[in-house]
Amino acid sequence: GERGVSVPDGRFELHQAIVENQLVLHYQPIVRVSDRTLVAVEALVRWRHPTRGILPPSQFVPALERAGLARELTVWVLREAISQAAVWRADGQPLAVGVNVSPENLRDAHFRRYLDMTVRAVGGPEHIIAEIPAATLRSPEQIASLALMRERGMRVAIDDVLEPTELSDVPADVLKLGRGLVSRLPVDARALEEASVIVRAAKALGRSVTAVGIEDDLTWRRTVALGCDTAQGFHIAPPLSTIDLAAWRARR
């Protein structure tokens, strides 16, 4: 199991993972709550470690960030997600892809230029959703980066939203209810109240709401009752390789 396993902080090994294509993206389906139609996926990175097998992000992303490789990782994920979105578009099965962008990226002028050039060159910016954790949004440069993304036709999702009022000035299309809040919906009346405040505030701001971490039917039913627009979680589907995702789509 994953118990107690951690990856060494060796910058060389981590850098190698990126440049030698040891990383792979899995995609977690995001469905429309009203009819369970697949509308998007969230790209989640895995490391095909040469000796340890497939590692989840919790086991290497913090080390990558400590090693100063956050920008390289995001650029790799973004490039991979954009090219996969282009494949789906060419196959006549377009899907929006959510990509986690780190707060460091948003403050980085090089990254903004990269983003601008890449999105222009590849086309299809409407198929990319940049996902940013709510708690990390602090500086004017970050807000400017989000505005730039939206100007270029990308969508922006704010993850782990707890205080919707703080986000009224943040340029965004989607607010995501995080796993911590969603997991409490079936058992905690206060969580239900907090979530409904966020949903109402989002609707007032003209934004859609995604519930993250739907693990069982009761949580799904709560999500429906709250009026969330979209949802993701193991009750719907786990993160899947492109081959498994194609099979999952075909079965529906």
Side-chain angles (χ1 to χ4, degrees):
E2 294 174 12
R3 188 168 76 252
V5 175
S6 67
V7 168
D9 277 344
R11 195 177 192 284
F12 174 72
E13 190 187 6
L14 293 163
H15 181 66
Q16 229 179 352
I18 299 171
V19 297
E20 293 185 4
N21 255 2
Q22 293 173 12
L23 302 180
V24 62
L25 290 184
H26 284 188
Y27 298 91
Q28 185 165 43
I30 299 172
V31 298
R32 198 159 50 213
V33 168
S34 57
D35 59 5
R36 290 203 184 214
T37 302
L38 178 67
V39 290
V41 289
E42 181 179 353
L44 296 156
V45 67
R46 303 281 183 264
W47 182 0
R48 281 182 303 219
H49 194 279
T51 57
R52 297 167 193 229
I54 300 262
L55 300 178
S58 59
Q59 284 183 30
F60 65 92
V61 171
L64 271 164
E65 287 170 346
R66 282 194 299 275
L69 294 167
R71 188 195 341 167
E72 284 87 338
L73 175 66
T74 307
V75 164
W76 184 89
V77 171
L78 198 59
R79 201 170 53 223
E80 194 70 15
I82 286 172
S83 65
Q84 184 55 59
V87 169
W88 285 326
R89 194 170 72 229
D91 288 348
Q93 295 190 307
L95 258 190
V97 185
V99 173
N100 293 288
V101 174
S102 80
E104 289 80 21
N105 295 142
L106 295 180
R107 283 194 291 268
D108 180 343
H110 294 295
F111 178 75
R112 286 198 292 272
R113 272 201 299 279
Y114 166 80
L115 197 67
D116 210 12
M117 290 185 315
T118 306
V119 169
R120 267 191 234 186
V122 178
E126 70 280 5
H127 295 301
I128 297 297
I129 305 167
E131 302 203 359
I132 294 94
T136 61
L137 280 174
R138 296 200 176 86
S139 72
E141 302 111 300
Q142 291 173 317
I143 305 298
S145 290
L146 299 185
L148 174 73
M149 288 172 182
R150 294 182 80 221
E151 274 167 35
R152 294 292 175 264
M154 293 168 70
R155 278 176 280 168
V156 169
I158 308 299
D159 215 348
D160 257 333
V161 173
L162 295 171
E163 283 296 325
T165 46
E166 288 179 282
L167 297 173
S168 54
D169 300 331
V170 174
D173 305 274
V174 182
L175 301 185
K176 297 185 89 168
L177 301 179
R179 192 178 308 279
L181 183 57
V182 170
S183 65
R184 286 164 39 221
L185 292 178
V187 292
D188 181 346
R190 200 162 82 228
L192 206 53
E193 181 51 38
E194 285 169 25
S196 71
V197 167
I198 294 169
V199 172
R200 283 197 302 273
K203 303 287 180 191
L205 292 165
R207 295 169 185 177
S208 71
V209 179
T210 301
V212 177
I214 310 292
E215 303 290 319
D216 53 56
D217 193 55
L218 183 52
T219 312
W220 169 263
R221 291 205 302 272
R222 290 274 193 275
T223 302
V224 173
L226 276 169
C228 293
D229 301 283
T230 50
Q232 66 188 95
F234 278 75
H235 181 63
I236 298 156
L240 300 164
S241 68
T242 48
I243 291 167
D244 290 341
L245 180 63
W248 183 84
R249 286 178 101 167
R251 284 199 302 274
R252 293 161 75 77

